[in-house]
Amino acid sequence: MIPFLDLKKINAQYQAELKEACARVIDSGWYVLGNEVAEFEKEFATYCETEHCLGVANGLDALILILRAYIELGVMQKGDEVIVPSNTYIASILAISENGLVPVLVEPDVNTFNLDPKLIEKAVNEKTKAILTVHLYGQVTAMDEINFVANKYNLKVIEDCAQAHGAIYRDKENKCKKVGSLGDAAGFSFYPGKNLGALGDAGAVTTNDQELAKTIRALSNYGSHKRYENIYQGINSRLDEIQAAMLSVKLKYLNEEITHRRRITNRYLSEINNSDIILPTIQSQESHVWHLFVIQSGNREKLQEYLTKAGIQSLIHYPIPPHQQLAYSEMSNLNLPITEKMHSQVLSLPVDPTLSDNDVSNIIKVINKFSI
């Protein structure tokens, strides 16, 4: 079986360095909020081209804390609305509702899977305070258009970068910037399956806003700027020393792994030739880091069963759209045909950076032979 993602094999490449980093933390005797976290925050801020990086417990907390900080700073209040793509993973929406804010679901662009800029302005009203854009599957959203709407209506722009570490956006002035630096703040997940994955849960916030960073730092540490002095009713959401040490090792190889993913997907895009398969559309290679390679098929179930029988593991990201989840039953009456069609047709192929050329050739060969 060709696995969808072989984490053991991916991490085995860096085994010696990872073990050394872990031993260094153990030997230090300092396991929370120490030098490893400070060093990774510095490294990742530099990588994302931002002034601040704040390590937190996971990607969901990163988004929750950004919105919570804006509430504490008086930028938002409970009941305000946040525009979010309707086809995202539910975590993006959970971060909004967790803060007592109202998610407003907007349909994606049929070609990119990302938030459709043409539909955003129609969703803005006097209660709208932010756009939470998701760089879904690893491709950057059309940020010039999103920032134009945000500036017009004085909205905050929050990036959900959980799937897009290292993706680059080329703006209308032909300047290149990394995701995490394209809005007012950004949340990252370092869940083990991400392109930059820890060996457990981990996350981070990046921003150039010093006051926001200061507030998030306190909120994530029991609401405390100074030990035993609490100015907010905060939470405990801190990146631990061992995960920070692991991430510092793996960050050094992130660009190399992205290159491997692009090599695989270039072959998929050029060699898969099957009329039943809709291939993803990309704006440019630099704008997509291929966390997932997502095809669409009107015969998805049969295709997935066929691939499984051929020894190829595939996954569905995601089978049920957020507005049809029981958790958001109040949204069940929404009419979101593009989202619903996507969720009924999407299928993710292996894009593991350790796949061999033979594995990739086999996947392409098997898909090209698929027929009803």
Side-chain angles (χ1 to χ4, degrees):
M1 173 69 76
I2 298 175
F4 181 77
L5 187 67
D6 191 339
L7 290 178
K8 184 176 179 180
K9 190 174 182 180
I10 289 172
N11 289 320
Q13 301 172 106
Y14 320 121
Q15 185 178 92
E17 289 182 77
L18 292 170
K19 288 182 176 180
E20 181 183 348
C22 188
R24 185 174 67 244
V25 176
I26 293 170
D27 292 344
S28 76
W30 194 297
Y31 309 123
V32 178
L33 297 182
N35 291 334
E36 300 291 346
V37 170
E39 186 61 27
F40 173 71
E41 288 178 339
K42 180 181 177 181
E43 292 168 354
F44 197 63
T46 299
Y47 182 81
C48 294
E49 303 166 354
T50 59
E51 293 181 17
H52 306 282
C53 169
L54 304 99
V56 297
N58 54 70
L60 175 56
D61 279 3
L63 297 176
I64 289 173
L65 285 162
I66 292 168
L67 292 167
R68 171 73 188 281
Y70 279 132
I71 291 173
E72 294 291 349
L73 291 169
V75 175
M76 302 177 192
Q77 61 182 358
K78 292 186 177 184
D80 284 339
E81 296 182 357
V82 178
I83 292 170
V84 64
S86 53
N87 63 318
T88 185
Y89 181 57
I90 199 169
S92 310
I93 298 168
L94 288 171
I96 299 169
S97 55
E98 176 67 18
N99 279 289
L101 300 166
V102 179
V104 176
L105 275 56
V106 171
E107 292 254 67
D109 182 295
V110 294
N111 294 312
T112 66
F113 299 109
N114 283 331
L115 196 58
D116 189 339
K118 298 187 297 294
L119 301 179
I120 295 174
E121 193 162 7
K122 298 176 184 177
V124 176
N125 61 50
E126 67 278 359
K127 294 186 73 65
T128 309
K129 292 296 186 291
I131 301 169
L132 197 167
T133 189
V134 183
H135 307 305
L136 199 64
Y137 306 146
Q139 180 160 224
V140 188
T141 313
M143 293 303 296
D144 279 340
E145 292 89 338
I146 286 174
N147 283 321
F148 175 82
V149 175
N151 291 333
K152 183 176 179 179
Y153 295 98
N154 193 29
L155 308 177
K156 295 296 182 183
V157 174
I158 302 163
E159 298 175 79
D160 182 338
C161 300
Q163 301 184 0
H165 318 68
I168 295 171
Y169 183 70
R170 190 179 295 274
D171 66 18
K172 59 186 177 182
E173 297 176 352
N174 208 33
K175 294 179 180 177
C176 291
K177 297 177 71 176
K178 290 266 186 71
V179 297
S181 68
L182 303 173
D184 295 288
F188 286 85
S189 168
F190 303 121
Y191 180 77
K194 303 299 184 184
N195 287 23
L196 178 60
L199 275 69
D201 261 328
V205 173
T206 57
T207 185
N208 291 319
D209 186 331
Q210 184 173 356
E211 193 63 25
L212 182 72
K214 182 179 177 182
T215 306
I216 291 172
R217 180 76 77 191
L219 286 169
S220 66
N221 188 35
Y222 300 100
S224 175
H225 278 299
K226 184 178 179 182
R227 194 172 188 183
Y228 301 130
E229 294 183 11
N230 304 76
I231 57 177
Y232 306 114
Q233 295 177 18
I235 62 172
N236 175 13
S237 181
R238 302 177 298 202
L239 176 62
D240 74 71
E241 286 287 283
I242 286 181
Q243 296 307 332
M246 302 294 103
L247 288 165
S248 286
V249 170
K250 296 186 70 178
L251 180 60
K252 294 186 295 183
Y253 302 101
L254 177 57
N255 288 344
E256 183 180 328
E257 288 201 6
I258 291 171
T259 298
H260 287 316
R261 288 174 181 270
R262 286 175 176 156
R263 191 173 297 132
I264 293 165
T265 56
N266 279 341
R267 289 197 60 194
Y268 285 162
L269 291 169
S270 62
E271 297 178 39
I272 291 177
N273 182 19
N274 188 314
S275 59
D276 192 65
I277 306 296
I278 301 174
L279 295 172
T281 300
I282 63 170
Q283 301 157 8
S284 66
Q285 275 292 3
E286 65 190 358
S287 71
H288 209 318
V289 293
W290 299 108
H291 173 62
L292 298 171
F293 187 89
V294 180
I295 61 174
Q296 296 181 77
S297 172
N299 298 292
R300 179 179 68 190
E301 283 66 32
K302 290 182 179 179
L303 174 59
Q304 187 171 40
E305 182 182 355
Y306 164 79
L307 290 172
T308 300
K309 288 180 178 178
I312 300 167
Q313 184 184 22
S314 60
L315 297 177
I316 300 172
H317 298 88
Y318 304 97
I320 305 173
H323 71 285
Q324 293 182 341
Q325 297 281 1
L326 185 59
Y328 287 104
S329 57
E330 69 274 17
M331 297 183 181
S332 61
N333 63 339
L334 292 179
N335 180 31
L336 299 167
I338 296 172
T339 293
E340 290 167 16
K341 184 178 181 181
M342 281 183 175
H343 282 258
S344 71
Q345 294 189 347
V346 292
L347 185 68
S348 301
L349 301 181
V351 66
D352 184 322
T354 65
L355 285 177
S356 69
D357 288 341
N358 285 338
D359 287 336
V360 177
S361 295
N362 186 38
I363 292 167
I364 294 168
K365 180 180 178 181
V366 169
I367 289 176
N368 284 341
K369 287 185 176 180
F370 173 70
S371 61
I372 302 301

